Amino acid sequence: MVSQYAGAAFAKHLFPLVGSEGVVALRVGLSALILLGWLRPWRTPPTRAELPTLLLYGVTLGCMNLLIYRAFALIPIGIAVAIEVTGPLALVLLSSRRPRDFGWLACAAFGLWLLLPLHAGAAQLDPKGIAYAFGAAACWALYIVFGKRASSVQGGGVVAWGMLAASLFIVPVGAYYAGPSLLAPSVLLGGLAVAVLSSALPYTLEMIALRRLPRRVFGIMVSSSPAVSALAGFAVLGERLGAIQWLAIALVMLASGASAWTGTRDA
């Protein structure tokens, strides 16, 4: 998470040059090349039956990246990720019938109410940025569903195949928006740094973690994403959040971590 959100914060410096779409194209496209060269997944190619799962995994991965980077361009990183993390949280809570989980749902809803411009004391946020973050939240939930299915694909090249599938439609979108400036040496170098920090390294580590860690531990660690991203936004970009915003982020993290803890413990 440190790698992913430090890379995302650095990526915002490239937005004025090629836009968020161009940065996502570089991130996904270069990550696909890095992972294909490193993992060489063609040595154990997926079966024809596994291709639809890998394609869905890649499409949700690409859409999640595109939407959250569009959100980053309009609202602070920490707030965007706090909204995005409600996707996997909703996935857990909506599949539960335990009474206490409705309490965690209320906790997350109250955190969102504090975070969003729904009351007089809330900070003003760009509505489009909020919408993009909620879109990324939905994609994150789908990414978990399809990623769990894809993790069973033989050969260990799941992330590489998924990133390749994502690049097939993300790279043309970025090229359309950014044009020839996407190939400027300084932009390519910055995009390579973002690709390594925000995609190639963290997604590979995530797949390893999913295989080795109990779901409860993994879920609790992922729940700290809003705080990690907010700190990265402050350290790299100087994005400062108010006390109410930090309280809102803490409530969303509490709901996410607690639901991961109680859900997997009961299971």
Side-chain angles (χ1 to χ4, degrees):
M1 284 188 291
V2 171
S3 175
Q4 182 173 1
Y5 294 120
F10 174 73
K12 286 191 74 167
H13 290 298
L14 299 175
F15 286 0
L17 301 176
V18 291
S20 59
E21 298 85 1
V23 176
V24 174
L26 289 172
R27 170 182 169 175
V28 172
L30 293 174
S31 295
L33 293 176
I34 292 170
L35 290 171
L36 288 170
W38 176 27
L39 299 176
R40 290 179 288 176
W42 55 82
R43 294 178 298 179
T44 311
T47 65
R48 182 173 297 181
E50 292 170 335
L51 288 178
T53 298
L54 289 172
L55 181 61
L56 288 171
Y57 168 65
V59 168
T60 53
L61 175 62
C63 289
M64 180 176 67
N65 279 279
L66 181 61
L67 290 170
I68 197 59
Y69 268 48
R70 282 186 166 179
F72 289 165
L74 299 171
I75 59 179
I77 288 178
I79 294 176
V81 174
I83 296 172
E84 186 190 28
V85 82
T86 61
L89 173 60
L91 187 67
V92 172
L93 296 182
L94 291 177
S95 63
S96 172
R97 295 295 182 270
R98 295 186 304 270
R100 64 168 171 264
D101 283 337
F102 290 98
W104 301 130
L105 181 61
C107 179
F110 182 57
L112 285 177
W113 181 80
L114 290 175
L115 198 61
L116 302 179
L118 301 175
H119 58 96
Q124 292 302 309
L125 299 172
D126 190 304
K128 289 184 179 180
I130 294 172
Y132 286 137
F134 274 114
C139 288
W140 195 353
L142 293 173
Y143 164 78
I144 291 173
V145 173
F146 296 129
K148 189 65 178 175
R149 295 178 188 175
S151 65
S152 62
V153 173
Q154 299 299 315
V158 173
V159 180
W161 290 125
M163 202 64 72
L164 177 61
S167 67
L168 293 179
F169 75 97
I170 290 294
V171 172
V173 169
Y176 173 79
Y177 279 95
S181 57
L182 204 62
L183 299 178
S186 59
V187 172
L188 284 174
L189 186 60
L192 179 61
V194 172
V196 173
L197 288 173
S198 289
S199 289
L201 180 59
Y203 287 140
T204 301
L205 293 175
E206 186 176 85
M207 275 296 172
I208 297 172
L210 280 169
R211 294 192 186 101
R212 295 171 180 260
L213 286 178
R215 285 196 305 163
R216 177 172 58 183
V217 176
F218 183 82
I220 291 169
M221 296 186 71
V222 168
S223 71
S224 66
S225 295
V228 175
S229 61
L231 291 172
F234 171 73
V236 179
L237 301 168
E239 293 180 344
R240 296 178 180 272
L241 303 182
I244 296 297
Q245 292 172 321
W246 274 111
L247 174 60
I249 286 175
L251 290 171
V252 172
M253 288 172 52
L254 174 62
S256 180
S259 63
W261 175 270
T262 58
T264 51
R265 185 187 62 187
D266 290 350

